[in-house]
Amino acid sequence: MAFIKIDNVGFEYKTKVRVLNDIDWNIQRGEFHSLIGRSGCGKTTLLKIIAGLLVPTNGNVAIDGAQVLKPSFKTGFVFQTPNLLEWLPIIDNVLLPITIRENKTQEHVEFALETLETVGLKDHSNRYPTELSGGQQSRVAIARALITQPLLLLMDEPFAALDAMTREELQIDLLKLCSKRGTTVLFITHDISEAVYLSDKIAVMDEGFIQNRFSINISKPRENKVRYEPQFNDLCSAIYRSMKTILIKSRVDPQ
Amino acid sequence: MNKTYSYLLLLLFLITWELFCNYSDVSSLVIPAPTAVGVVLWDGLSQGYLWIHIWATSFEMALGLLIGCSVGFLSGLLLGESKFLRDLLWPYVLASQVIPKLALGPLFIVWFGFGMTSTVIITALICFFPLLENTLTGIQHVPTEKRELFRMLGATRLQTLIKLKIPHGLSTILAGVRVSVVLALVGAVVGEFLSGKTGLGATIIAAQGMMDSALMFAVFIIITAIGLIFYQLTTMAERFLLRRHSKGGQDAGI
C-alpha cells in the first residue's frame, strides 16, 4: 500500500474559487516526488492539505494508512523562506520542534548538533539567524525539519530565493540526507532541472489539475555531473514541452 | 555634524539670554537670568530641598508607568487573542482614551484624595493606551508562514503567544513603552499640579504663588533631565532586548 495516498482531493476557497480538482496521487515510502507548475497553479495548497494545515473540500489524504486531519509531529515542513525565529540562536531554532513538546535534554542537544553537522553548520550553533547567509539559513530550516526524524518531508520551494551555486549544493546535500534516512519527500518547485535532479517522480500541475506525470529513471545516488548528460536534458525538455503545451491549450481554450 | 556645535548653540543661547536680562527693562520676576536660575538650582540640589520633590515625581512616574504599562500589555494580549473581546470592548477602550485623562483629575481627587494616589492613577491611565494599542498590533502582525510553522509543530495557543507572538511583536511593544515614558512624565507633573503636596509639579505651583520664576525654570530643567534619563534607560533596554532582531524587526527572516 502506498505510504501517501491522495484520493480525489479538491479544494475551494470560501469565495467559491476552485484551486484544486480531483487530485489522485500515490507516493511510496522513501520516494522523492516533485510537484512542478507555474505560480498560482495550486501547488502550495495541495502541499498544505497533505501537511494538515488545510482541510480539503472533497476527497482525503492518508499517510501510512491514517487519514490526515491535522498537522502531525511526524511530518516535517520546509517553507519558502527559512522562517527562522531571529531572537533564538541556531541551536534553539533547530530544537524548536522538540521544545514545543517537551523539555529539552542533553540527548536532544547532542542530536541537534549532529543534525547541524549533517548540514555543515555545527560550528554556527550559537550564532543567530541574522548572522547567517541565505543559504545557511535554508540549511538550518532543513535541520529543524529533520530534528524530529520525520517519515515525510514536505518542501515548498525552499531554495527558490538562492543563487544557482548555493542551490546546487543544497540539492546535493538534501538528496544525501534523505536517502540516508529513507525519508519520503514531496518537493514543490518551479525549476524543472531542480525537479529532475532530485526526484524519482514528477507531476506537472496547472489550473488545479495534475496534467502530466514523469518517472525519472536516472540511477541514484546521483553525481552532480548527471545534470549535463543527454538523458537529463531530454527529460528537462520533455517536461518543459508538456508545460508549454498546457499553456498554449489554456490560452486557446480557457475551459 | 559635530556635537560641539550643538553645545555651542546652547552656550550662545544662554549668553544672549543673560545679556537680554541684564540690559532690558524686563523684570527678573518675569524672566530670570540663567545665572539666577543656576544659583537656585544649585542651592536646591545642594541644600537638598528639591530632592524630596525629585524623588516624589520620579516615584510617581515610575509607579504609574509600571502599572499603566502592565495593565496595557496584558489587556493588549487579551484583546489580541480574543476577537470576541476585541469586538466587544474596543469601542469603549477607544472612547475612554478620547477623554483627556487630566480632565478626570478633579474626580480622582474626590475619590482618592489629594496626594500620590491620584497622581499615580492619572499617570497609569495615560500610559495604558499606547501599550494596549502597540501590544495588540504587535502580536497580530505575525507573518502567516511563522504561524503555520507553529501549527505544524502542534504548538498550543499559549505556546504560540509566548514563543512566537510576543517575541515577534517585541519591537512594536517596546515602541509603545517609549511613547508611554514621555507621556508618564506629563501625567506625573500635571497630576501634581492638581493634587500634589510634594513633587516637582507641586513645586511649580508653589513657585507660581511666590512669583519665583527662577525656581520654576530650575524645576523645568530638572523635569527635562528626568525625562531624558527615563527615555535613555528605555532606549538602552530596548536596544538590549532587540539586539537579536534584525533591523526593522517586522519582516525579519523574509
Side-chain angles (χ1 to χ4, degrees), chain B residues 77-161:
Chain B
L77 292 186
L78 269 179
L79 260 59
E81 284 295 286
S82 162
K83 187 172 168 358
F84 174 74
L85 283 181
R86 200 156 62 236
D87 292 346
L88 183 73
L89 297 178
W90 184 249
Y92 301 106
V93 172
L94 198 63
S96 74
Q97 290 310 309
V98 178
I99 304 174
K101 254 71 60 193
L102 300 173
L104 296 175
L107 184 64
F108 290 145
I109 293 170
V110 173
W111 286 351
F112 306 109
F114 286 92
M116 204 166 254
T117 315
S118 297
T119 310
V120 170
I121 289 176
I122 292 172
T123 310
L125 273 179
I126 290 184
C127 297
F128 165 78
F129 193 63
L131 244 285
L132 168 78
E133 196 173 23
N134 282 39
T135 306
L136 190 58
T137 314
I139 66 169
Q140 282 186 307
H141 286 75
V142 178
T144 319
E145 276 205 336
K146 284 206 165 72
R147 268 184 278 140
E148 282 178 343
L149 170 69
F150 272 67
R151 279 186 62 203
M152 244 359 263
L153 299 177
T156 62
R157 203 165 165 173
L158 186 65
Q159 284 176 323
T160 311
L161 181 67

Side-chain angles (χ1 to χ4, degrees), chain A residues 53-175:
Chain A
L53 289 168
L54 288 175
V55 180
T57 315
N58 58 277
N60 72 72
V61 177
I63 297 178
D64 217 2
Q67 192 182 346
V68 176
L69 297 168
K70 59 179 175 52
S72 151
F73 186 62
K74 281 288 159 204
T75 303
F77 199 105
V78 181
F79 294 82
Q80 278 181 25
T81 63
N83 212 7
L84 304 177
L85 306 182
E86 59 271 19
W87 53 88
L88 294 181
I90 298 306
I91 182 83
D92 288 340
N93 263 291
V94 174
L95 281 167
L96 186 70
I98 304 284
T99 48
I100 294 256
R101 293 175 68 86
E102 54 191 309
N103 290 328
K104 66 178 174 191
T105 61
Q106 192 53 39
E107 279 168 36
H108 289 138
V109 175
E110 273 160 27
F111 186 61
L113 286 171
E114 220 173 275
T115 312
L116 273 172
E117 196 170 18
T118 56
V119 295
L121 287 175
K122 197 183 177 190
D123 299 339
H124 294 61
S125 64
N126 288 319
R127 298 178 77 174
Y128 284 80
T130 45
E131 299 168 336
L132 265 53
S133 70
Q136 288 172 325
Q137 290 186 20
S138 295
R139 288 169 183 275
V140 177
I142 293 172
R144 180 178 62 192
L146 291 175
I147 189 82
T148 60
Q149 296 182 282
L151 300 171
L152 170 65
L153 196 55
L154 301 172
M155 307 181 86
D156 187 5
E157 300 187 38
F159 308 145
L162 302 173
D163 66 88
M165 296 293 281
T166 311
R167 198 190 300 192
E168 277 189 11
E169 283 168 23
L170 280 165
Q171 288 164 359
I172 294 165
D173 289 353
L174 178 65
L175 265 193

Side-chain angles (χ1 to χ4, degrees), chain B residues 215-242:
Chain B
L215 180 58
M216 284 198 219
F217 274 96
V219 174
F220 296 159
I221 292 170
I222 294 171
I223 290 174
T224 312
I226 292 178
L228 287 176
I229 289 169
F230 270 86
Y231 192 82
Q232 279 302 322
L233 287 175
T234 319
T235 321
M236 274 161 63
E238 201 176 336
R239 222 175 285 153
F240 174 74
L241 289 169
L242 297 179

Side-chain angles (χ1 to χ4, degrees), chain B residues 34-81:
Chain B
T35 43
V37 174
V39 169
V40 172
L41 184 62
W42 175 251
D43 285 352
L45 293 177
S46 59
Q47 292 169 14
Y49 69 83
L50 279 179
W51 283 108
I52 179 175
H53 301 295
I54 293 173
W55 287 125
T57 302
S58 307
F59 179 72
E60 285 160 358
M61 181 185 171
L63 190 61
L65 196 62
L66 187 70
I67 296 172
C69 287
S70 314
V71 177
F73 176 66
L74 293 175
S75 314
L77 292 186
L78 269 179
L79 260 59
E81 284 295 286

